[in-house]
Structure formats: C-alpha cells, structure tokens
Amino acid sequence: MAAAIPGQKTKLQVGVGCLILRSDRLLFVRSRRGYWSPPGGKLEMGESLKACAIREIAEETGLSIRNVEFVALTNDIFAETERHDLTIWMRAEADDTPAQIQDPTEITDLDWFPLDAPPTPLHLDIQNLLAGRCLPPRPANCPFPTSAP
C-alpha cells in the first residue's frame, strides 16, 4: 500500500469497484481521463457494499449482476490530485445482456477482456489490486492471480 504523504491534506473517498465476470472475461470501462478499470463508484451514506455494486453497475453499464461478494480492498493515493481512495473490491457475475455505456460523461468505452490480458493504461486502483497491494494480499476469490509485493 502507498505511504501517507506527511503534511499533505487529502480528500478521502470510499468507492466500490466490481469485478464482473462473464465466462472467462472481465468487464472494464475507460474513463474520460483515458484509464481503464472495472466499473464502480462512490459508496453512499447508509448503503451496503452489495447495494452500491448493484447500483453503480446498473448506472454505468445497464447490467444486472448476481452472486456479489467481497474480494479485497486497496488504499489508493493520488498524490498529484491530493485524492485518497479506499476501494472496496467486489466480485459478481453478469448474464448475457449486452453491457452499454449509460453515462457518456464518465465513460468513453467498455469491453470484456480476457483475465490474462487486461487493457492499458490501467487506473491506479486496479493496478494496486493486480500487484497484490491489497488486503488480503492474495484474495482467494480474485478472478486473476495477484502478486504480493
């Protein structure tokens, strides 16, 4: 996990990212900034993690998901923007409904990628998960192997 930056104020946000599986592929979305990550968003006050994952996936992709379960969490510090995210990673399955961009102000592209060939460039949060910079360091239910630092 990244170290704190002494004396620097950050904006802490809690987000939920969802690893959505369909067969042997994982859904990624590309943000307006050009980075790819699994879909997700900010946890709302009083909302459960499962409810957040279901809501965010429907809002961003139009998909209904099932079998939602916790995977890991990452501590994501963006020094250049003074932002600090705690990302809670969930895993879910999707049916055969086509995923579609529901919010083009946030997402420019989406696609299903093989587990061993994610798109690039990746957002910091998914980089941290893939590198094993997460708790737990090697989640048993993560759909792709992680490597602890």
Side-chain angles (χ1 to χ4, degrees):
M1 306 250 176
I5 303 164
Q8 188 172 31
K9 293 181 182 179
T10 60
K11 301 169 194 161
L12 179 62
Q13 298 182 1
V14 177
V16 174
C18 196
L19 307 169
I20 303 172
L21 297 166
R22 182 179 285 162
S23 300
D24 61 346
R25 295 186 173 267
L26 189 68
L27 183 64
F28 280 85
V29 296
R30 183 170 34 199
S31 71
R32 287 251 162 235
R33 293 183 305 266
Y35 293 99
W36 289 91
S37 67
K42 301 304 174 212
L43 184 66
E44 293 181 356
M45 180 63 88
E47 189 174 38
S48 74
L49 300 176
K50 180 178 178 179
C52 180
I54 291 169
R55 175 184 55 78
E56 284 290 346
I57 299 325
E59 287 176 2
E60 292 185 0
T61 70
L63 290 175
S64 294
I65 56 175
R66 64 185 181 282
N67 300 327
V68 181
E69 62 182 11
F70 173 79
V71 174
L73 58 95
T74 55
N75 188 33
D76 311 308
I77 298 172
F78 303 84
E80 66 280 357
T81 59
E82 297 184 12
R83 194 175 103 202
H84 183 174
D85 290 359
L86 178 65
T87 305
I88 301 165
W89 291 99
M90 305 296 280
R91 173 185 172 145
E93 299 169 1
D95 61 18
D96 292 334
T97 304
Q100 298 179 348
I101 296 171
Q102 301 295 307
D103 187 354
T105 63
E106 285 186 30
I107 298 170
T108 62
D109 199 5
L110 59 73
D111 207 348
W112 298 91
F113 291 85
L115 295 175
D116 61 352
T120 57
L122 289 173
H123 197 268
L124 177 65
D125 55 6
I126 189 66
Q127 287 179 40
N128 284 339
L129 181 65
L130 288 170
R133 294 186 297 268
C134 56
L135 293 174
R138 289 189 177 94
N141 60 347
C142 192
F144 35 74
T146 60
S147 56

CSV table of all heavy atoms in Angstrom, one decimal, residues 40-93:
chain,number,residue,atom,x,y,z
A,40,GLY,N,-17.5,0.9,-11.3
A,40,GLY,CA,-17.8,1.1,-9.8
A,40,GLY,C,-18.0,2.5,-9.6
A,40,GLY,O,-18.1,3.3,-10.5
A,41,GLY,N,-18.1,2.9,-8.3
A,41,GLY,CA,-18.3,4.3,-7.9
A,41,GLY,C,-18.3,4.5,-6.4
A,41,GLY,O,-17.9,3.6,-5.7
A,42,LYS,N,-18.8,5.6,-6.0
A,42,LYS,CA,-18.7,6.0,-4.6
A,42,LYS,C,-19.8,5.4,-3.8
A,42,LYS,O,-21.0,5.4,-4.2
A,42,LYS,CB,-18.7,7.5,-4.5
A,42,LYS,CG,-17.6,8.2,-5.2
A,42,LYS,CD,-16.2,7.7,-4.8
A,42,LYS,CE,-15.1,8.3,-5.6
A,42,LYS,NZ,-14.0,7.4,-5.8
A,43,LEU,N,-19.4,5.0,-2.6
A,43,LEU,CA,-20.4,4.4,-1.6
A,43,LEU,C,-21.2,5.6,-1.1
A,43,LEU,O,-20.6,6.6,-0.7
A,43,LEU,CB,-19.6,3.7,-0.5
A,43,LEU,CG,-20.4,3.0,0.5
A,43,LEU,CD1,-21.2,1.8,-0.1
A,43,LEU,CD2,-19.5,2.5,1.6
A,44,GLU,N,-22.5,5.4,-1.0
A,44,GLU,CA,-23.4,6.5,-0.5
A,44,GLU,C,-23.7,6.2,1.0
A,44,GLU,O,-23.6,5.0,1.4
A,44,GLU,CB,-24.7,6.5,-1.3
A,44,GLU,CG,-24.5,7.0,-2.7
A,44,GLU,CD,-25.8,7.1,-3.5
A,44,GLU,OE1,-26.9,6.7,-3.0
A,44,GLU,OE2,-25.7,7.6,-4.7
A,45,MET,N,-24.0,7.2,1.7
A,45,MET,CA,-24.2,7.1,3.2
A,45,MET,C,-25.3,6.1,3.4
A,45,MET,O,-26.4,6.2,2.8
A,45,MET,CB,-24.6,8.5,3.7
A,45,MET,CG,-25.0,8.5,5.2
A,45,MET,SD,-23.5,8.0,6.2
A,45,MET,CE,-22.8,9.6,6.4
A,46,GLY,N,-25.1,5.2,4.3
A,46,GLY,CA,-26.1,4.2,4.7
A,46,GLY,C,-26.2,3.0,3.7
A,46,GLY,O,-27.0,2.1,3.9
A,47,GLU,N,-25.5,3.0,2.6
A,47,GLU,CA,-25.6,2.0,1.6
A,47,GLU,C,-24.7,0.8,1.9
A,47,GLU,O,-23.6,0.9,2.3
A,47,GLU,CB,-25.2,2.6,0.2
A,47,GLU,CG,-25.5,1.8,-1.0
A,47,GLU,CD,-25.2,2.5,-2.3
A,47,GLU,OE1,-24.2,3.3,-2.3
A,47,GLU,OE2,-25.9,2.4,-3.2
A,48,SER,N,-25.2,-0.4,1.6
A,48,SER,CA,-24.4,-1.6,1.8
A,48,SER,C,-23.4,-1.7,0.6
A,48,SER,O,-23.7,-1.2,-0.5
A,48,SER,CB,-25.3,-2.9,1.9
A,48,SER,OG,-25.8,-3.2,0.6
A,49,LEU,N,-22.4,-2.5,0.8
A,49,LEU,CA,-21.4,-2.7,-0.3
A,49,LEU,C,-22.1,-3.4,-1.5
A,49,LEU,O,-21.9,-3.0,-2.6
A,49,LEU,CB,-20.2,-3.5,0.2
A,49,LEU,CG,-19.4,-2.9,1.3
A,49,LEU,CD1,-18.3,-3.8,1.8
A,49,LEU,CD2,-18.9,-1.5,0.9
A,50,LYS,N,-22.9,-4.4,-1.2
A,50,LYS,CA,-23.6,-5.1,-2.3
A,50,LYS,C,-24.5,-4.2,-3.0
A,50,LYS,O,-24.5,-4.2,-4.3
A,50,LYS,CB,-24.3,-6.3,-1.7
A,50,LYS,CG,-25.1,-7.1,-2.7
A,50,LYS,CD,-25.8,-8.3,-2.1
A,50,LYS,CE,-26.6,-9.1,-3.1
A,50,LYS,NZ,-27.2,-10.3,-2.5
A,51,ALA,N,-25.3,-3.4,-2.3
A,51,ALA,CA,-26.2,-2.5,-2.9
A,51,ALA,C,-25.5,-1.4,-3.8
A,51,ALA,O,-25.9,-1.1,-4.9
A,51,ALA,CB,-27.1,-1.8,-1.9
A,52,CYS,N,-24.4,-1.0,-3.3
A,52,CYS,CA,-23.6,0.0,-4.1
A,52,CYS,C,-23.1,-0.6,-5.4
A,52,CYS,O,-23.2,0.0,-6.4
A,52,CYS,CB,-22.4,0.5,-3.2
A,52,CYS,SG,-21.3,1.7,-4.1
A,53,ALA,N,-22.6,-1.8,-5.3
A,53,ALA,CA,-22.1,-2.5,-6.5
A,53,ALA,C,-23.2,-2.7,-7.5
A,53,ALA,O,-23.1,-2.4,-8.7
A,53,ALA,CB,-21.5,-3.9,-6.2
A,54,ILE,N,-24.4,-3.2,-7.1
A,54,ILE,CA,-25.5,-3.4,-7.9
A,54,ILE,C,-26.0,-2.0,-8.6
A,54,ILE,O,-26.2,-2.0,-9.8
A,54,ILE,CB,-26.7,-4.0,-7.2
A,54,ILE,CG1,-26.3,-5.5,-6.8
A,54,ILE,CG2,-28.0,-4.0,-8.0
A,54,ILE,CD1,-27.2,-6.1,-5.8
A,55,ARG,N,-26.1,-1.0,-7.8
A,55,ARG,CA,-26.5,0.3,-8.3
A,55,ARG,C,-25.5,0.9,-9.3
A,55,ARG,O,-25.9,1.3,-10.4
A,55,ARG,CB,-26.7,1.3,-7.1
A,55,ARG,CG,-27.0,2.7,-7.5
A,55,ARG,CD,-27.1,3.7,-6.4
A,55,ARG,NE,-25.9,3.7,-5.5
A,55,ARG,CZ,-24.7,4.4,-5.8
A,55,ARG,NH1,-24.6,5.0,-7.0
A,55,ARG,NH2,-23.7,4.4,-5.0
A,56,GLU,N,-24.2,0.9,-8.9
A,56,GLU,CA,-23.2,1.5,-9.8
A,56,GLU,C,-23.1,0.8,-11.1
A,56,GLU,O,-23.0,1.4,-12.2
A,56,GLU,CB,-21.8,1.6,-9.1
A,56,GLU,CG,-21.7,2.6,-8.1
A,56,GLU,CD,-21.7,4.0,-8.7
A,56,GLU,OE1,-21.5,4.2,-9.9
A,56,GLU,OE2,-21.8,5.0,-7.9
A,57,ILE,N,-23.2,-0.6,-11.1
A,57,ILE,CA,-23.1,-1.3,-12.3
A,57,ILE,C,-24.3,-1.0,-13.2
A,57,ILE,O,-24.1,-0.9,-14.4
A,57,ILE,CB,-22.9,-2.8,-12.0
A,57,ILE,CG1,-21.7,-3.1,-11.2
A,57,ILE,CG2,-23.0,-3.6,-13.3
A,57,ILE,CD1,-20.5,-2.3,-11.5
A,58,ALA,N,-25.5,-1.0,-12.7
A,58,ALA,CA,-26.7,-0.6,-13.4
A,58,ALA,C,-26.5,0.8,-14.0
A,58,ALA,O,-26.9,1.0,-15.2
A,58,ALA,CB,-27.9,-0.8,-12.6
A,59,GLU,N,-26.1,1.7,-13.2
A,59,GLU,CA,-26.0,3.1,-13.7
A,59,GLU,C,-24.9,3.3,-14.8
A,59,GLU,O,-25.1,4.1,-15.7
A,59,GLU,CB,-25.6,4.0,-12.5
A,59,GLU,CG,-26.7,4.3,-11.5
A,59,GLU,CD,-26.2,5.1,-10.3
A,59,GLU,OE1,-25.1,5.6,-10.2
A,59,GLU,OE2,-27.1,5.4,-9.4
A,60,GLU,N,-23.8,2.6,-14.7
A,60,GLU,CA,-22.7,2.7,-15.7
A,60,GLU,C,-22.9,1.9,-16.9
A,60,GLU,O,-22.5,2.3,-18.0
A,60,GLU,CB,-21.4,2.5,-15.0
A,60,GLU,CG,-21.0,3.5,-14.0
A,60,GLU,CD,-19.7,3.4,-13.4
A,60,GLU,OE1,-18.9,2.4,-13.8
A,60,GLU,OE2,-19.3,4.2,-12.6
A,61,THR,N,-23.4,0.6,-16.7
A,61,THR,CA,-23.4,-0.3,-17.8
A,61,THR,C,-24.7,-0.9,-18.2
A,61,THR,O,-24.9,-1.6,-19.2
A,61,THR,CB,-22.5,-1.5,-17.5
A,61,THR,OG1,-23.1,-2.3,-16.5
A,61,THR,CG2,-21.1,-1.1,-17.1
A,62,GLY,N,-25.8,-0.7,-17.4
A,62,GLY,CA,-27.1,-1.2,-17.7
A,62,GLY,C,-27.2,-2.7,-17.3
A,62,GLY,O,-28.3,-3.3,-17.5
A,63,LEU,N,-26.1,-3.3,-16.7
A,63,LEU,CA,-26.2,-4.7,-16.4
A,63,LEU,C,-26.8,-5.0,-15.0
A,63,LEU,O,-26.7,-4.2,-14.1
A,63,LEU,CB,-24.7,-5.3,-16.4
A,63,LEU,CG,-24.0,-5.4,-17.7
A,63,LEU,CD1,-22.6,-5.9,-17.4
A,63,LEU,CD2,-24.7,-6.4,-18.6
A,64,SER,N,-27.4,-6.1,-14.9
A,64,SER,CA,-27.9,-6.6,-13.6
A,64,SER,C,-26.8,-7.7,-13.2
A,64,SER,O,-26.4,-8.5,-14.1
A,64,SER,CB,-29.2,-7.3,-13.7
A,64,SER,OG,-30.2,-6.4,-14.0
A,65,ILE,N,-26.4,-7.6,-12.0
A,65,ILE,CA,-25.4,-8.6,-11.5
A,65,ILE,C,-25.9,-9.4,-10.4
A,65,ILE,O,-26.9,-9.1,-9.8
A,65,ILE,CB,-24.1,-7.8,-11.1
A,65,ILE,CG1,-24.4,-6.8,-10.0
A,65,ILE,CG2,-23.4,-7.2,-12.3
A,65,ILE,CD1,-23.1,-6.1,-9.4
A,66,ARG,N,-25.3,-10.6,-10.2
A,66,ARG,CA,-25.7,-11.5,-9.2
A,66,ARG,C,-24.5,-12.2,-8.5
A,66,ARG,O,-23.4,-12.0,-9.0
A,66,ARG,CB,-26.6,-12.6,-9.8
A,66,ARG,CG,-25.9,-13.5,-10.8
A,66,ARG,CD,-26.9,-14.5,-11.5
A,66,ARG,NE,-26.2,-15.3,-12.4
A,66,ARG,CZ,-25.8,-15.0,-13.6
A,66,ARG,NH1,-26.1,-13.8,-14.1
A,66,ARG,NH2,-25.1,-15.8,-14.4
A,67,ASN,N,-24.7,-12.8,-7.4
A,67,ASN,CA,-23.6,-13.5,-6.7
A,67,ASN,C,-22.5,-12.5,-6.3
A,67,ASN,O,-21.3,-12.7,-6.5
A,67,ASN,CB,-23.0,-14.7,-7.5
A,67,ASN,CG,-24.1,-15.7,-7.7
A,67,ASN,OD1,-25.0,-16.0,-6.9
A,67,ASN,ND2,-24.0,-16.4,-8.9
A,68,VAL,N,-22.9,-11.4,-5.7
A,68,VAL,CA,-22.0,-10.3,-5.4
A,68,VAL,C,-21.3,-10.7,-4.1
A,68,VAL,O,-22.0,-11.0,-3.1
A,68,VAL,CB,-22.7,-9.0,-5.2
A,68,VAL,CG1,-21.8,-7.9,-4.8
A,68,VAL,CG2,-23.5,-8.6,-6.5
A,69,GLU,N,-20.0,-10.7,-4.0
A,69,GLU,CA,-19.2,-11.0,-2.8
A,69,GLU,C,-18.0,-10.1,-2.7
A,69,GLU,O,-17.4,-9.7,-3.7
A,69,GLU,CB,-18.8,-12.5,-2.8
A,69,GLU,CG,-17.9,-12.9,-4.0
A,69,GLU,CD,-17.6,-14.4,-3.9
A,69,GLU,OE1,-18.2,-15.2,-3.2
A,69,GLU,OE2,-16.7,-14.8,-4.7
A,70,PHE,N,-17.5,-9.9,-1.5
A,70,PHE,CA,-16.3,-9.2,-1.2
A,70,PHE,C,-15.1,-9.9,-1.7
A,70,PHE,O,-15.0,-11.1,-1.6
A,70,PHE,CB,-16.2,-8.9,0.3
A,70,PHE,CG,-14.9,-8.3,0.7
A,70,PHE,CD1,-14.7,-6.9,0.6
A,70,PHE,CD2,-13.9,-9.0,1.3
A,70,PHE,CE1,-13.6,-6.3,1.0
A,70,PHE,CE2,-12.7,-8.5,1.7
A,70,PHE,CZ,-12.5,-7.1,1.5
A,71,VAL,N,-14.1,-9.1,-2.2
A,71,VAL,CA,-12.8,-9.7,-2.7
A,71,VAL,C,-11.7,-9.1,-1.8
A,71,VAL,O,-10.9,-9.9,-1.2
A,71,VAL,CB,-12.6,-9.4,-4.2
A,71,VAL,CG1,-11.2,-9.9,-4.6
A,71,VAL,CG2,-13.6,-10.1,-5.0
A,72,ALA,N,-11.5,-7.8,-1.8
A,72,ALA,CA,-10.4,-7.2,-1.2
A,72,ALA,C,-10.6,-5.7,-1.1
A,72,ALA,O,-11.6,-5.2,-1.6
A,72,ALA,CB,-9.1,-7.5,-2.0
A,73,LEU,N,-9.6,-5.0,-0.5
A,73,LEU,CA,-9.7,-3.5,-0.5
A,73,LEU,C,-8.3,-3.0,-0.8
A,73,LEU,O,-7.3,-3.6,-0.5
A,73,LEU,CB,-10.3,-2.9,0.7
A,73,LEU,CG,-9.6,-3.2,2.1
A,73,LEU,CD1,-8.6,-2.1,2.4
A,73,LEU,CD2,-10.7,-3.2,3.1
A,74,THR,N,-8.2,-1.9,-1.5
A,74,THR,CA,-7.0,-1.2,-1.8
A,74,THR,C,-7.0,0.2,-1.3
A,74,THR,O,-8.0,0.8,-1.2
A,74,THR,CB,-6.7,-1.2,-3.4
A,74,THR,OG1,-7.8,-0.5,-4.0
A,74,THR,CG2,-6.5,-2.6,-3.9
A,75,ASN,N,-5.8,0.7,-0.9
A,75,ASN,CA,-5.6,2.0,-0.4
A,75,ASN,C,-4.9,2.8,-1.5
A,75,ASN,O,-3.7,2.6,-1.7
A,75,ASN,CB,-4.7,1.9,0.8
A,75,ASN,CG,-4.6,3.2,1.6
A,75,ASN,OD1,-5.5,4.0,1.6
A,75,ASN,ND2,-3.4,3.4,2.2
A,76,ASP,N,-5.6,3.6,-2.2
A,76,ASP,CA,-5.2,4.3,-3.4
A,76,ASP,C,-4.9,5.8,-3.2
A,76,ASP,O,-5.9,6.5,-3.1
A,76,ASP,CB,-6.2,4.0,-4.5
A,76,ASP,CG,-6.6,2.6,-4.6
A,76,ASP,OD1,-5.7,1.7,-4.7
A,76,ASP,OD2,-7.8,2.3,-4.6
A,77,ILE,N,-3.7,6.2,-3.3
A,77,ILE,CA,-3.3,7.6,-3.0
A,77,ILE,C,-2.8,8.2,-4.3
A,77,ILE,O,-1.9,7.7,-4.9
A,77,ILE,CB,-2.2,7.7,-1.9
A,77,ILE,CG1,-2.8,7.1,-0.6
A,77,ILE,CG2,-1.8,9.1,-1.8
A,77,ILE,CD1,-1.8,7.0,0.5
A,78,PHE,N,-3.5,9.3,-4.7
A,78,PHE,CA,-3.2,10.0,-5.9
A,78,PHE,C,-2.6,11.3,-5.5
A,78,PHE,O,-3.2,12.3,-5.3
A,78,PHE,CB,-4.5,10.3,-6.7
A,78,PHE,CG,-5.2,9.0,-7.1
A,78,PHE,CD1,-6.1,8.5,-6.2
A,78,PHE,CD2,-5.1,8.5,-8.3
A,78,PHE,CE1,-6.8,7.3,-6.5
A,78,PHE,CE2,-5.8,7.3,-8.7
A,78,PHE,CZ,-6.7,6.7,-7.8
A,79,ALA,N,-1.2,11.3,-5.3
A,79,ALA,CA,-0.5,12.5,-4.8
A,79,ALA,C,-0.7,13.7,-5.7
A,79,ALA,O,-0.9,14.8,-5.1
A,79,ALA,CB,1.0,12.2,-4.7
A,80,GLU,N,-0.7,13.5,-7.0
A,80,GLU,CA,-0.8,14.7,-7.9
A,80,GLU,C,-2.2,15.4,-7.8
A,80,GLU,O,-2.2,16.6,-8.0
A,80,GLU,CB,-0.6,14.3,-9.3
A,80,GLU,CG,-1.6,13.3,-10.0
A,80,GLU,CD,-1.5,11.9,-9.6
A,80,GLU,OE1,-0.5,11.5,-8.8
A,80,GLU,OE2,-2.3,11.1,-10.0
A,81,THR,N,-3.2,14.8,-7.4
A,81,THR,CA,-4.5,15.4,-7.2
A,81,THR,C,-5.0,15.5,-5.8
A,81,THR,O,-6.1,15.9,-5.5
A,81,THR,CB,-5.6,14.6,-8.0
A,81,THR,OG1,-5.7,13.3,-7.6
A,81,THR,CG2,-5.3,14.7,-9.5
A,82,GLU,N,-4.1,15.1,-4.8
A,82,GLU,CA,-4.4,15.2,-3.4
A,82,GLU,C,-5.7,14.4,-3.1
A,82,GLU,O,-6.5,14.8,-2.3
A,82,GLU,CB,-4.5,16.6,-2.9
A,82,GLU,CG,-3.2,17.4,-3.0
A,82,GLU,CD,-3.3,18.8,-2.4
A,82,GLU,OE1,-4.2,19.1,-1.7
A,82,GLU,OE2,-2.3,19.5,-2.6
A,83,ARG,N,-5.8,13.3,-3.7
A,83,ARG,CA,-7.0,12.4,-3.5
A,83,ARG,C,-6.6,11.1,-2.9
A,83,ARG,O,-5.5,10.6,-3.3
A,83,ARG,CB,-7.7,12.2,-4.8
A,83,ARG,CG,-9.1,11.6,-4.7
A,83,ARG,CD,-9.8,11.5,-6.0
A,83,ARG,NE,-9.8,10.1,-6.4
A,83,ARG,CZ,-9.9,9.7,-7.6
A,83,ARG,NH1,-10.1,10.5,-8.6
A,83,ARG,NH2,-9.9,8.4,-7.8
A,84,HIS,N,-7.4,10.6,-2.0
A,84,HIS,CA,-7.1,9.3,-1.3
A,84,HIS,C,-8.4,8.5,-1.4
A,84,HIS,O,-9.4,8.9,-0.9
A,84,HIS,CB,-6.7,9.6,0.1
A,84,HIS,CG,-6.3,8.4,0.9
A,84,HIS,ND1,-5.8,8.4,2.1
A,84,HIS,CD2,-6.3,7.1,0.6
A,84,HIS,CE1,-5.5,7.2,2.6
A,84,HIS,NE2,-5.9,6.4,1.6
A,85,ASP,N,-8.3,7.4,-2.1
A,85,ASP,CA,-9.5,6.5,-2.2
A,85,ASP,C,-9.2,5.2,-1.4
A,85,ASP,O,-8.1,4.6,-1.5
A,85,ASP,CB,-9.7,6.1,-3.7
A,85,ASP,CG,-10.3,7.2,-4.5
A,85,ASP,OD1,-10.4,8.3,-4.0
A,85,ASP,OD2,-10.5,7.0,-5.7
A,86,LEU,N,-10.2,4.7,-0.8
A,86,LEU,CA,-10.3,3.4,-0.2
A,86,LEU,C,-11.2,2.6,-1.2
A,86,LEU,O,-12.4,3.0,-1.2
A,86,LEU,CB,-10.8,3.4,1.2
A,86,LEU,CG,-10.9,2.0,1.8
A,86,LEU,CD1,-9.5,1.3,2.0
A,86,LEU,CD2,-11.6,2.1,3.2
A,87,THR,N,-10.7,1.7,-1.9
A,87,THR,CA,-11.5,1.0,-2.9
A,87,THR,C,-11.8,-0.4,-2.4
A,87,THR,O,-10.9,-1.2,-2.1
A,87,THR,CB,-10.8,0.9,-4.3
A,87,THR,OG1,-10.5,2.2,-4.7
A,87,THR,CG2,-11.8,0.2,-5.3
A,88,ILE,N,-13.1,-0.7,-2.2
A,88,ILE,CA,-13.6,-2.0,-1.8
A,88,ILE,C,-14.0,-2.8,-3.0
A,88,ILE,O,-14.8,-2.3,-3.8
A,88,ILE,CB,-14.8,-1.8,-0.8
A,88,ILE,CG1,-14.4,-1.0,0.4
A,88,ILE,CG2,-15.3,-3.2,-0.4
A,88,ILE,CD1,-15.5,-0.5,1.2
A,89,TRP,N,-13.3,-3.9,-3.3
A,89,TRP,CA,-13.4,-4.7,-4.5
A,89,TRP,C,-14.5,-5.8,-4.2
A,89,TRP,O,-14.3,-6.5,-3.2
A,89,TRP,CB,-12.1,-5.3,-4.9
A,89,TRP,CG,-11.2,-4.2,-5.5
A,89,TRP,CD1,-10.2,-3.6,-4.8
A,89,TRP,CD2,-11.3,-3.6,-6.7
A,89,TRP,NE1,-9.6,-2.6,-5.6
A,89,TRP,CE2,-10.3,-2.6,-6.8
A,89,TRP,CE3,-12.1,-3.8,-7.8
A,89,TRP,CZ2,-10.1,-1.8,-7.9
A,89,TRP,CZ3,-11.9,-3.0,-9.0
A,89,TRP,CH2,-10.9,-2.0,-9.0
A,90,MET,N,-15.4,-5.9,-5.1
A,90,MET,CA,-16.5,-6.9,-5.0
A,90,MET,C,-16.3,-7.7,-6.3
A,90,MET,O,-15.7,-7.3,-7.3
A,90,MET,CB,-17.9,-6.3,-4.9
A,90,MET,CG,-18.0,-5.3,-3.7
A,90,MET,SD,-17.9,-6.0,-2.1
A,90,MET,CE,-19.5,-6.8,-2.0
A,91,ARG,N,-16.9,-8.9,-6.3
A,91,ARG,CA,-16.9,-9.7,-7.5
A,91,ARG,C,-18.4,-10.1,-7.7
A,91,ARG,O,-19.1,-10.3,-6.8
A,91,ARG,CB,-16.1,-11.0,-7.2
A,91,ARG,CG,-16.1,-12.0,-8.2
A,91,ARG,CD,-15.4,-13.3,-7.8
A,91,ARG,NE,-15.6,-14.3,-8.7
A,91,ARG,CZ,-14.7,-15.2,-9.1
A,91,ARG,NH1,-13.5,-15.2,-8.5
A,91,ARG,NH2,-15.0,-16.2,-10.0
A,92,ALA,N,-18.7,-10.2,-9.0
A,92,ALA,CA,-20.1,-10.6,-9.4
A,92,ALA,C,-20.1,-11.2,-10.8
A,92,ALA,O,-19.2,-11.2,-11.5
A,92,ALA,CB,-21.0,-9.3,-9.4
A,93,GLU,N,-21.3,-11.8,-11.1
A,93,GLU,CA,-21.5,-12.4,-12.4
A,93,GLU,C,-22.6,-11.6,-13.1
A,93,GLU,O,-23.5,-11.0,-12.5
A,93,GLU,CB,-21.9,-13.9,-12.2
A,93,GLU,CG,-20.9,-14.7,-11.5
A,93,GLU,CD,-21.4,-16.1,-11.1
A,93,GLU,OE1,-22.6,-16.4,-11.4
A,93,GLU,OE2,-20.7,-16.8,-10.6
